Amino acid sequence: MKDSLKKIYQIIDDLSSSNTLKKYRVVSSSQGSWLIVDDKKVLNLCSNNYLGLAADDKIRQASIDAINKYGVGTGAVRALSGNSFLHEELEKALAKFKNVEAVMLTNSGFVANLIAVQTLVDKEDIVISDELNHASIIDAIKLSQVQTKFIYPHNDLRGLEEKLQEAKVLQKEKRSDGTDKIILIITDGVFSMDGDLAPLPGIVKLAKKYGAVTMVDDAHGEGVVGKGGRGIVDHYNLHGQVDIEVGTLSKAFGVLGGCIAGNRKLIEFYKQKARPFSFSTGLSIPDTAALLESVKILSNSPSLVENLWENAAYLKAGFQKLGFDTGHSETPITPVMIGDEIIAKTLSANLFEEGVFATPIVFPMVPKGKARIRVMPSSSHTKKDLNFGLEKFSIVGKKMGLISR
Ligand SMILES: Cc1ncc(COP(=O)(O)O)c(C=O)c1O
């Protein structure tokens, strides 16, 4: 064993002995309302497949047809020989769907955030970020090596304005190349652990007042909020007023990949300069063809999004009737607040025994003492499915003394 790696192996030994090693359950069915997990049929209440598109028949067929015609891989980065016309079509379709000038595809939502931040700002600029932003935003800021970063209290516009005032003073000093420092405000659109919305109109107003650039990560908003799932910018009718919209294609769109949307010049800048775009092969043919079909379905079927919201309202009301605390979500994300990590993990394990797959969310995904089961409804759940889930939560919750009704 190499001495320098001993500490790494020790971490694994410690996690094992404290029984906190993450265990990855194995799924052997297609994604849907019900899954086969570790060889057991269970109700799926923990995927981000909001609209049930991950295994949709038309999407499967689009992938198969594309594979038959064009194969699987794209052979090289897009700047060389890997720029499929399907990539170009998908970027156009997404731009139309989101009502923006241009879109750039990335290989994941995580990578989209890395690119959006790291390519735009460097150590001489200023970033202001919500304290509950997604891990990929935190890592993106680190990667940018920005020296001046402010974290503002979650969704607190007064806190944000205080940071903007400090940033404005610092901005008086020019960068070493003589240009103005960029002040970049970053927020999630829908916060993934609580399901609450960013106060985007207030953020945009402050950004205008202080000359800051705005970026929103709409991973849990696309396909979910706004008209027909057009996202957080559409929800607040802020078209053209948010500089950078980041999205994922792995959740409501049901496949894989990410995107950055904005004005034509900004997107061209990313396409020219982003390192993870220039030096990494683009999305595969089946992924891209599947996504083209997803966008088509979403553009033409607002009922999918309506079903999702109806199911979410039904489930939230059901949990509340049972006496569970579902936090302050404004979206289909339904956190069943538990607090203690061990209790959340035990609840999840007991639910699994009863045929319900609902994973616990614990530190570092949420602060210590705020463990929860994040229940995720999908438009593909039937009322019978949801009733099954609620009944099992009721049985296990009572057995564990978490609820009395
Ligand atoms: C808010 C947010 N941003 C970005 C991502 C990353 O998306 P992807 O899974 O496509 O990499 C996630 C996924 O968990 C997310 O919840």
Side-chain angles (χ1 to χ4, degrees), residues 264-379:
R264 208 174 304 284
K265 262 205 174 142
L266 188 69
I267 298 306
E268 194 55 50
F269 167 77
Y270 282 128
K271 282 193 166 176
Q272 297 293 321
K273 297 290 181 187
R275 291 169 66 82
F277 184 78
S278 303
F279 298 105
S280 183
T281 300
L283 286 178
S284 74
I285 295 293
D287 287 328
T288 315
L291 284 163
L292 263 168
E293 190 62 31
S294 291
V295 179
K296 201 162 141 195
I297 291 175
L298 205 49
S299 305
N300 298 324
S301 337
S303 62
L304 281 178
V305 182
E306 283 157 22
N307 286 353
L308 170 67
W309 282 86
E310 198 184 308
N311 280 348
Y314 186 81
L315 204 53
K316 273 187 200 153
F319 278 122
Q320 284 158 12
K321 208 163 147 205
L322 290 175
F324 283 108
D325 171 7
T326 55
H328 47 271
S329 172
E330 299 165 80
T331 61
I333 293 170
T334 305
V336 175
M337 307 305 266
I338 301 298
D340 183 88
E341 294 204 354
I342 304 287
I343 297 178
K345 285 181 183 170
T346 311
L347 174 59
S348 169
N350 291 343
L351 284 166
F352 193 81
E353 288 306 309
E354 294 283 341
V356 173
F357 190 28
T359 43
I361 305 280
V362 296
F363 180 80
M365 286 183 280
V366 291
K368 284 200 169 124
K370 301 232 164 144
R372 66 202 63 177
I373 305 277
R374 186 179 59 165
V375 175
M376 301 295 271
S378 158
S379 58

Side-chain angles (χ1 to χ4, degrees), residues 48 108-111 113 134 136 188 190 192 217 219-220 248-251 257:
N48 302 315
S108 71
F110 200 108
V111 169
N113 274 327
H134 189 255
S136 52
D188 277 10
V190 175
S192 54
D217 173 359
H220 286 271
T248 174
L249 305 173
S250 64
K251 300 188 194 300

